[in-house]
Each structure stands twice: as C-alpha cells, then as structure tokens.
Amino acid sequence: MNEYIFVANSYAPASAPNSALLVAHRPQRSPPVLPSSIPTPPATLSPQSIQSPPAQTSPDESVTRSQEPEPTKPSPNQMQSVFSSQTGESYRSQQHTAQVWESHKEEIRRLYLDENRPLKEVMAIMRQRGFRATVRMYKSRFDKWGFSKNNSKREVVTMLQVQRQRNALGKRTTFQRNGREIAIDAYLKRKGISQYDLAEPGIAESLPEHLRCVTPPPETPLAIQVGGALSLQELVLQTARDLAWNPYCPADFPLVTSSAIYRGDALRCAITDITNADWLFHVGHYSRGGVMCEQGFKSLHLMVTRPSIFGLLHLLLFHLDAYNKGIIKEVWRYLAAYSATIRVDGPLARLFQGISKFINTHEFDEYWNLIFECTERLLLIDEQSSGLPEGTVARLYPLIFIPRAHQYKQGPYRRLQNRCDWNRLTRGTKPRVPEEMAIYEASELLIIGAQSNWQGERVLELAESVLEKTKQFAYNVDFFIYIALNALAHYYRADFKPGDPISSPKHQLSVQYLEQVCQLSEGKWDPDLGYFMGDLEKLEDWYREAGDTLMADEVHRRWRGSLELIPMQWERVH
C-alpha cells in the first residue's frame, strides 16, 4: 500500500536525508516499485525528508545544481497548502489584505452573528464562494471587528454598572448583542458568582459597538398590591444597593466629605424645607409653614429623577422626626404619583407606592415603626455580603447627627445614633487640606459627643480644635462653629441637675455657650439653619430649670421675634 506524504512546503531546497533524524522505532523497508513518473517517497517522516525528492541526476549535474541560487521564499500572498484541524480538510488558503477582509465583512457577519452559524460552517460557505482562510485568521479578524458570541468579564462588569445606574433611576434594562438579548444571569451562574462579585464603583464605560442597552416594556402594571413591612424593608435595601453604586463624590475623598458635599444638593434643600415647614406647622405658624412646604415640594421630584443614597436616608430621617401626619402622607403620595406619571419602574418607585399605601391602611405607630426599622436595617447592612461598595454605610453616619429643631421620639433616635461606629469613618483616604480636617473633626465631635452624652476630654479637645481651625477660613464656618459651641454647652450642662443654683458654674458656662450658638443666627433667617430655632427653645428651658424665670421669659420673646423674621414670600435660590 502506498504512503501519502503531506507536502508542507515545496520551495525548500533538496538535500539528502539526515540519518540522525530518522525515526528509530520505524523499520526501514524497500520502497515499492512505482512508475517512473511518480517520485519514490522517503521511508521516514523526518523534518528533512518532508520535501520534494531529488531527481535522478549524474554526478556532474549534481555539482552544477549545487551552485544554483536557492529558491526564493514565497510572499505572504502566495498560495500554501493548509490543513484545517477544525474541518479535517486540506485546502489552499491565502493571506488576505485588510481590504479583502473588509469586502467580506458584512457577509461573514450575517452568517456568523445574524444567522448564528458555527465558524466551521461559515468557513465552508465562504470557501464555496472562493474565499479561503484559516481558523486563526478568522479569529484574529473577529477580534478586530468585535464579532463575539460570548460575554467577557469586562463587558459583564460594564453592563452591570449601566444596569445599576438605570435601576437607580427606575429604568428597567436589558442588553442585546448583535440583536439578541444577553442572559447575564446565565453567565453569572456558569461562573458560579453573583453580580456583586463583579461590582465596581464609578460611572459605566461606553458599551462596545456590538452591545446595546434597551428598555423593555413593563411586564406588569405599575400599580402594586400593598406590601407587608418585611417586603418594604427589602425594597429599601434593594434601592440602597442600586443607589450606592452611583458615585456621589470621587472615591479618593475622605469618607466624611460625602455628607458635606450633600449639603449643597438641591434634594437636600427640598427635604430641609419640608422639615422646616413641619416644625412651623407644629408651633402654629401655618402661613409661613405653607410657604416653606411649597418650596420643598418644588424640588422633591429630584428624589425620583436624581436619587442618591444620601437623599434616601435623609427622607427616612425626616419621616422619623415629622409631627404633621398630613405632610407625611402627602410626601409619599406625591413621590408615588410622580414616579407613576413619568412611568418610572424599579425598586425605588415600588417603594414609594408601597409606603404610600401602607400609611393609608395602617395605624400611624405601625407606619413609624416600619420607617424606623427600614432606617436601622440600612445602617446595619453588611456591605460585603450585600454587594455594597466599601465605606457606603460609614459615609451615611453624619446624616444621623444633623442638628434638628425637634425630634418626634428621642429614645429610638438615640438608638440609631449608637449604631454608628466612628472608626469606620477613619478608614480610607485621610484629610489632606484644612477644610477636610475641619469636616473630619466636626463629624467626630458630633458622633462621639452624642454617643457619650457630651462627656469626656475628647469632646472638649475636639471642640476647641474645631474653633481654632475655623479661624483659617473666610466663609462657610457657621456650621462648624455651631457644632463646637453646641458641644461645649452640652459638655458643661451634662452634670447640671434641676434645682441647682443659678450661680452654679456649670449652669453659667452652659448657657454662655448656648447663647453664643443662638447669636449665630439671631436677627436673620437662613432656611438651612432652622435648627437654631430649637436652640432658643432649649436655652429657655435651661433658664427655667435653674429657676431664672426672667431670663427664660426674655429668651421666649427673642424666639417669637425670630419667627417673625421668616418671610411670608420666599423662594430658595440654588
């Protein structure tokens, strides 16, 4: 039986076989007698035997041929015999120019992507049409063109970032690759991971050309059934997970600066205005409360269109403080109606609708307990197991300590404050400039002071340090001065007991510092400093505790005069 030898390169110069490269285990045998027109194949498959056999020549001819120049090496465009390990066939292939590939691009795309044919079948069809290339050539060209049927890790990470950002805005999201929907869950299941294992903070990169982000039609009507307390708590956590991945400030900023940046947010101003309105209604100033409420509702829609995890927590805290049940119900009703009107879907919209229905079908105390439990669970969430960016919960701590003119229930609120661990705020980037250091120390003073009932040398040390640092700034220092003076007032008041004499040093020092606090805003109106009104009430109470009725009555007159400074016609300028 004849042996057929695959000729890999017919341009190699002829030479005698090298006996050192012969396959030892294969016995040599005499070649079969073949017609003279067919060359006799070598007995072994050595590297040098795989070449065209030399013709029978005389010694003189051999010497002459050895002096001839070697054959020229073929150019890349010359035809070669190629064996396809995928198709099992040998055929003639060619190295094609980029222009040739581009001329076949749309046809190959249609076969490979649109019709979803395997590469083996695509190659066979293209050979029938006169275009031959190897598997490696095709794959190399597919990489350049972005022709891919599989999800890469980088693509999945980017899609998850886009999905989270759209979820935070209440938009449902699906992705398509070359017109076909991508099953991200299938990729995660195959890899044995969850979406939070691939979570990366930051704004999503642009999707590759072959990927598209689309909004599918809603699967169910936006109206939902009234959810139970547990389902609404889960919606709060799901919403927090979505919002946490939308960066509020650069990741390399100290953790404490996030809440300081939130102070300039228009959503923060809206919730603050509604908080002030609730307090004004509580003290009987309905006209001014109505003006303040109107201002707040003008920008409350930002909780739907530009939500943040800071806004979510601030909204929950407002509902824990508020007295006026009419405002409380109206806030949830407005947010639910607004999200339904603009057809926003997602956990946040379902949360608004669920709470709006819950408050109308349950007693107020049940509702208040629900909001408290939602807030507490948010502060106790485990970042690693829940897929939150590191430091998410710690960034929220300063919001729990925002000064307020009043608190609906002080006991549970103190419990929330005690859930905060200052040490978690010290991780990451350290303060680099004086302004950041002032924010850092003021935040520590708020948290450590409230948790320790304003006792301990650290409280005194931090208060004095913050006051000293504010001397370096020419603007935006009132809030830092307020925190420091308020801390000193409570530091000296902590051991004072009703019935102690007016001349008690503790009483004298405490009211002295609280007087300085009140003087920061007395005689002017700043909607962001409404909590100063509560400090005037506190100062009146401290005088009465010491039996100083004259001073208490005087402070009360000052308090009423400050209320009159609140304008009847007012509009916030952002």
Side-chain angles (χ1 to χ4, degrees), residues 160-377:
L160 289 174
Q161 285 180 317
V162 171
Q163 187 179 63
R164 279 191 294 269
Q165 291 168 16
R166 287 170 58 87
N167 284 348
L169 298 174
K171 298 179 180 179
R172 297 174 64 242
T173 306
T174 59
F175 296 93
Q176 295 180 353
R177 181 193 302 278
N178 306 308
R180 287 184 169 79
E181 185 171 339
I182 298 173
I184 298 180
D185 291 340
Y187 172 89
L188 299 174
K189 184 177 181 180
R190 187 171 67 253
K191 297 291 185 180
I193 57 178
S194 74
Q195 61 172 306
Y196 302 113
D197 294 319
L198 298 180
E200 291 184 6
I203 299 296
E205 302 172 357
S206 300
L207 289 172
E209 183 181 348
H210 55 281
L211 297 181
R212 287 187 61 219
C213 170
V214 297
T215 301
E219 298 175 354
T220 57
L222 287 178
I224 62 173
Q225 299 298 319
V226 178
L230 288 178
S231 64
L232 291 174
Q233 289 179 38
E234 288 303 318
L235 275 176
V236 169
L237 297 183
Q238 186 177 354
T239 301
R241 281 194 291 265
D242 289 340
L243 294 176
W245 288 97
N246 288 347
Y248 199 79
C249 67
D252 61 343
F253 275 41
L255 296 181
V256 294
T257 59
S258 297
S259 57
I261 294 174
Y262 176 65
R263 284 181 60 82
D265 194 303
L267 175 59
R268 196 277 310 170
C269 296
I271 299 174
T272 298
D273 291 342
I274 296 174
T275 302
N276 290 335
D278 175 76
W279 178 77
L280 288 168
F281 288 143
H282 176 64
V283 298
H285 280 253
Y286 304 109
S287 297
R288 290 179 170 84
V291 172
M292 197 70 64
C293 193
E294 181 182 356
Q295 289 301 312
F297 273 88
K298 283 183 178 180
S299 300
L300 188 59
H301 66 280
L302 296 175
M303 189 66 237
V304 179
T305 58
R306 281 171 40 195
S308 70
I309 191 170
F310 295 93
L312 175 64
L313 178 59
H314 193 183
L315 185 67
L316 294 174
L317 292 174
F318 156 72
H319 286 280
L320 292 179
D321 286 337
Y323 282 93
N324 192 291
K325 297 178 183 177
I327 290 184
I328 292 173
K329 290 184 177 181
E330 188 59 26
V331 166
W332 292 121
R333 189 201 67 80
Y334 175 83
L335 291 173
Y338 188 90
S339 58
T341 300
I342 65 173
R343 301 196 63 79
V344 170
D345 195 9
L348 187 62
R350 294 196 296 273
L351 175 65
F352 294 152
Q353 295 170 42
I355 294 181
S356 179
K357 293 186 177 182
F358 188 95
I359 195 173
N360 287 298
T361 55
H362 293 74
E363 296 294 329
F364 185 77
D365 282 346
E366 291 182 84
Y367 156 79
W368 193 94
N369 289 332
L370 166 67
I371 299 300
F372 179 84
E373 289 165 2
C374 288
T375 308
E376 189 172 40
R377 286 196 65 183

Side-chain angles (χ1 to χ4, degrees), residues 114 294 420 482 486 516:
D114 298 344
E294 181 182 356
C420 302
Y482 169 86
N486 193 62
Q516 294 181 50

Side-chain angles (χ1 to χ4, degrees), residues 10 30 41 123 163 166 214 224 253 265 336 343 385 410 414 416 418 424 451 485 495 507 546 551:
S10 60
S30 301
M123 293 173 64
Q163 187 179 63
R166 287 170 58 87
V214 297
I224 62 173
F253 275 41
D265 194 303
R343 301 196 63 79
S385 61
Q410 292 188 359
R414 176 63 62 86
L416 287 180
N418 288 335
R424 294 178 66 176
Q451 292 178 342
L485 293 176
D495 293 333
H507 170 71
M551 287 301 301

